[in-house]
Amino acid sequence: EAGVTQFPSHSVIEKGQTVTLRCDPISGHDNLYWYRRVMGKEIKFLLHFVKESKQDESGMPNNRFLAERTGGTYSTLKVQPAELEDSGVYFCASSQDLVSLRGQFFGPGTRLTVL
Amino acid sequence: KNQVEQSPQSLIILEGKNCTLQCNYTVSPFSNLRWYKQDTGRGPVSLTIMTFSENTKSNGRYTATLDADTKQSSLHITASQLSDSASYICVVSGGSQGNLIFGKGTKLSVKP
């Protein structure tokens, strides 16, 4: 079974530029989550998709972040324009259902550096 | 405020030794508690998941305990191996939406 994949693995951009991160969940997983880990802090929830619908986006930091999941398959997270404080590791996770005892399966993350 | 606190922040042990990592949480409502292992440069991988009614769960050399009354959990690693070197993250699911609240993790280093 293929795991959650994320692209790119690393991205270095300048302040003010735009970056788009992609996540491909495990096939058949309706639930897709985005998380972020800023250096020195814990991983924090950003948002949750159920299929193509945003179930909860309470963790999105501001309107510079836009997440989409057209067709309910892969998802993108766009940061526009990027700021220095957006640097961190962005994780995507997917699960078959909300209370899956197998938990959420995480991708390897995208390390974003904003200079 | 929903929080998950872990201790110690980091730990160094010799190969073959046992260790115990601690997790305290103040998350309400509580759904379940998970321990994840995160190798450097990789995403977190689930080790155990426990619901309110469970107080212990094992996965090989990993044994997690949960005391829902005191809101404490521990992860015990037996006969440590070099490959156990990683960050161990305690995660609490705090609501019906399945959102996860993460601790900062304990960085474990197993030395030969």
Side-chain angles (χ1 to χ4, degrees):
Chain A
E1 174 183 82
V4 177
T5 58
Q6 293 186 244
F7 182 83
S9 57
H10 294 81
S11 181
V12 181
I13 62 173
E14 293 188 349
K15 175 183 172 181
Q17 289 186 320
T18 297
V19 63
T20 300
L21 315 181
R22 173 171 169 143
C23 168
D24 286 78
I26 293 173
S27 178
H29 282 193
D30 287 341
N31 294 278
L32 187 149
Y33 306 81
W34 282 99
Y35 297 91
R36 176 173 74 171
R37 183 170 198 161
V38 173
M39 186 176 292
K41 303 283 185 122
E42 66 274 19
I43 297 173
K44 286 194 174 175
F45 167 80
L46 294 179
L47 89 159
H48 169 207
F49 283 100
V50 177
K51 296 185 180 179
E52 67 275 9
S53 299
K54 291 177 185 174
Q55 189 74 12
D56 182 353
E57 51 184 329
S58 61
M60 294 287 264
N62 52 61
N63 59 10
R64 295 185 293 103
F65 289 75
L66 175 64
E68 294 179 323
R69 193 184 181 194
T70 306
T73 54
Y74 71 91
S75 174
T76 58
L77 179 65
K78 183 162 73 173
V79 185
Q80 179 184 31
E83 298 289 345
L84 299 178
E85 65 264 25
D86 300 333
S87 295
V89 182
Y90 290 76
F91 292 102
C92 174
S94 72
S95 68
Q96 204 158 24
D97 52 64
L98 285 176
V99 292
S100 169
L101 292 182
R102 295 186 63 196
Q104 296 178 14
F105 294 85
F106 281 78
T110 293
R111 181 174 294 278
L112 174 64
T113 302
V114 183
L115 303 176
Chain B
K1 182 182 176 182
N2 289 332
Q3 275 188 314
V4 176
E5 301 285 344
Q6 291 188 243
S7 62
Q9 188 174 9
S10 62
L11 182 62
I12 300 174
I13 61 173
L14 293 176
E15 186 179 11
K17 297 296 185 183
N18 304 336
C19 67
T20 300
L21 315 180
Q22 302 290 343
C23 172
N24 297 334
Y25 62 92
T26 55
V27 177
S28 181
F30 173 86
S31 177
N32 56 68
L33 185 145
R34 313 159 187 223
W35 283 93
Y36 280 85
K37 177 186 179 187
Q38 185 177 13
D39 293 306
T40 302
R42 311 288 288 271
V45 175
S46 180
L47 294 175
T48 63
I49 297 178
M50 289 182 291
T51 59
F52 183 87
S53 59
E54 298 174 290
N55 55 26
T56 187
K57 182 162 281 188
S58 292
N59 178 1
R61 294 179 297 102
Y62 302 102
T63 299
T65 65
L66 173 64
D67 185 334
D69 291 331
T70 61
K71 299 187 176 181
Q72 295 180 323
S73 175
S74 66
L75 179 69
H76 186 75
I77 304 174
T78 304
S80 61
Q81 300 176 358
L82 298 179
S83 59
D84 292 333
S85 296
S87 285
Y88 291 83
I89 306 173
C90 177
V91 186
V92 178
S93 179
S96 59
Q97 299 303 320
N99 299 343
L100 304 181
I101 299 165
F102 291 73
K104 288 186 178 182
T106 291
K107 185 176 175 69
L108 175 67
S109 297
V110 181
K111 303 293 186 184

